Amino acid sequence: AGPRLLLEPSLVCGQSGQSGQPQEALAAAAWAGLIFWCLGLPLASLSLCAWKRHELDHFHSQVSLGIISAEYESAYFFWESPLLFRRFAVLLAVGLTHAVPLQVRLVLLLAVGNVSLWMHHSCEPYANRSGILLDNLEANSLRIFCAFTAALLLGTSQVVHPYVATAVVLAVLIWHLDYLVRLVIQVLKFARRAVAEQVVEGYLIGRPADFLAKLCFHGETYSRRYQACVVYDIGAEAIEIQPGLEGREVTEQEQLFVAHGLADSFEAIISECKVDRLSVAYIEFLSRQVFASSATRLRCERRLSVQRRSTGSLPSVEEFNRQHPAGKPSGAAAAPSGAPAAAAAFS
């Protein structure tokens, strides 16, 4: 009767279906769609970004192409295309016919994971608006993928005792769950930080905050006691990275956060503004302007934090405005000495 379709044994390969339409036509349409999906989408993404590569920082380009280029550094605007190729390679390895042994498919998955991990470590393509957080998350996810595939390969190859293989798989699963929990915690931290900044902005413009927003501000204020802060010392004319109020030492991650912010600013000035000579006075202006532009918000945040620690709650908007009349800073001298600022402001 000839070979039959694995997913539908009633269909004989090479014969017409119930509607009388030849299966060759359906197979050609399926292959055309598959080729367009695995090659057309990555090439379309690459061509669009390459066409607008010198305008990706413009507003209209970010609106139209930001979904495929906004999360990457300017030198790796094309990185969405390798990611699409990687997804296709994973689906191809998983969807191979059952005639191919499971060990072969696991080896292919492990090869895809190792190549992707090597490419990521070589390039680290994600933008540094949050330090190297996105690069670390991607690297950890690829490590877990490779470890889980290797554990499954070890268990199915019957090289070790089944109990040992089970213990290895469980250990990798625990690692995976720990990664997911940490990922959720990071998302909640960013959401809490965004809500806390909205509370400060609300006090500046006279908009009251609700109970949940104030609760987020309390949590963010408490967590910042353990985080390093960046200060501009007017007397020494220097930018300093200082430990938090609890005295914890500045970590390497926090140092890299500030360093990447400064590096991105200089890269934008040199590569995008086409500046061949960078004045030392301009570097000083850039350092001052970061703090001066945020001086009002930083003062408001500090006053709210001090009042929260002294009274245990935030004041009303009317009471806060009576105690601290609004004043606009004038120039770089308005930035208070020792005022903390987010390192992301450099970028």
Side-chain angles (χ1 to χ4, degrees):
R4 295 181 177 271
L5 189 63
L6 182 63
L7 300 179
E8 185 58 47
S10 62
L11 292 179
V12 179
C13 297
Q15 295 185 4
S16 301
Q18 295 180 356
S19 61
Q21 187 177 10
Q23 293 182 7
E24 288 79 2
L26 296 177
W31 276 109
L34 183 62
I35 292 175
F36 172 76
W37 182 81
C38 66
L39 296 178
L41 291 181
L43 293 178
S45 172
L46 178 60
S47 61
L48 285 174
C49 292
W51 179 39
K52 295 284 188 179
R53 65 170 302 179
H54 299 296
E55 303 177 2
L56 291 177
D57 58 331
H58 296 175
F59 177 75
H60 66 277
S61 298
Q62 291 179 356
V63 171
S64 58
L65 301 176
I67 192 173
I68 58 177
S69 63
E71 297 301 326
Y72 308 111
E73 297 179 5
S74 57
Y76 299 103
F77 63 93
F78 57 86
W79 200 256
E80 189 70 18
S81 297
L83 291 185
L84 292 174
F85 280 122
R86 186 179 74 190
R87 294 166 190 167
F88 170 71
V90 171
L91 291 178
L92 184 63
V94 173
L96 288 175
T97 177
H98 289 272
V100 178
L102 177 61
Q103 289 81 4
V104 175
R105 284 181 280 175
L106 290 176
V107 169
L108 291 176
L109 287 175
L110 189 59
V112 172
N114 284 322
V115 171
S116 301
L117 186 60
W118 171 76
M119 291 176 58
H120 178 76
H121 276 299
S122 301
C123 300
E124 292 188 347
Y126 287 95
N128 299 319
R129 288 186 293 272
S130 299
I132 55 175
L133 176 63
L134 294 179
D135 288 319
N136 285 340
L137 289 176
E138 178 74 3
N140 288 334
S141 64
L142 291 173
R143 291 191 194 101
I144 293 173
F145 176 81
C146 294
F148 189 73
T149 306
L152 291 179
L153 182 61
L154 182 66
T156 56
S157 60
Q158 299 179 354
V159 176
V160 297
H161 195 275
Y163 289 157
V164 177
T166 303
V168 172
V169 172
L170 287 178
V172 177
L173 282 176
I174 294 174
W175 184 16
H176 193 182
L177 291 176
D178 177 72
Y179 170 77
L180 292 178
V181 171
R182 292 176 180 270
L183 184 62
V184 172
I185 291 175
Q186 287 292 339
V187 172
L188 293 178
K189 285 183 177 180
F190 275 97
R192 183 186 63 187
R193 183 175 303 170
V195 174
E197 291 178 355
Q198 288 297 319
V199 171
V200 177
E201 295 292 337
Y203 273 90
L204 289 175
I205 63 177
R207 183 184 62 208
D210 55 15
F211 173 77
L212 183 59
K214 291 182 178 180
L215 189 63
C216 292
F217 181 83
H218 294 334
E220 180 66 18
T221 303
Y222 179 78
S223 66
R224 288 189 179 183
R225 298 173 62 87
Y226 299 90
Q227 299 173 1
C229 61
V230 185
V231 300
Y232 182 79
D233 192 340
I234 295 180
E237 295 186 351
I239 297 176
E240 299 180 3
I241 308 176
Q242 297 180 354
L245 297 177
E246 297 297 329
R248 183 178 59 84
E249 294 183 357
V250 180
T251 63
E252 182 180 0
Q253 178 97 8
E254 293 167 335
Q255 293 173 342
L256 288 174
F257 187 47
V258 179
H260 280 298
L262 289 169
D264 288 344
S265 299
F266 298 146
E267 180 185 0
I269 296 171
I270 296 173
S271 61
E272 298 179 9
C273 300
K274 309 301 180 183
V275 176
D276 296 329
R277 300 179 63 184
L278 193 59
S279 172
V280 177
Y282 184 81
I283 297 177
E284 180 183 359
F285 165 76
L286 178 67
S287 304
R288 287 175 175 267
Q289 182 62 24
V290 170
F291 296 91
S293 60
S294 305
T296 303
R297 184 180 60 82
L298 295 173
R299 288 194 186 98
C300 178
E301 183 177 336
R302 173 180 291 182
R303 290 163 180 169
L304 288 175
S305 301
V306 171
Q307 187 152 356
R308 189 200 68 84
R309 288 197 298 269
S310 60
T311 63
S313 61
L314 292 177
S316 63
V317 175
E318 294 78 8
E319 181 183 356
F320 180 80
N321 290 333
R322 286 196 304 268
Q323 295 177 355
H324 310 286
K328 294 184 179 180
S330 57
S337 176
F346 284 108
S347 58

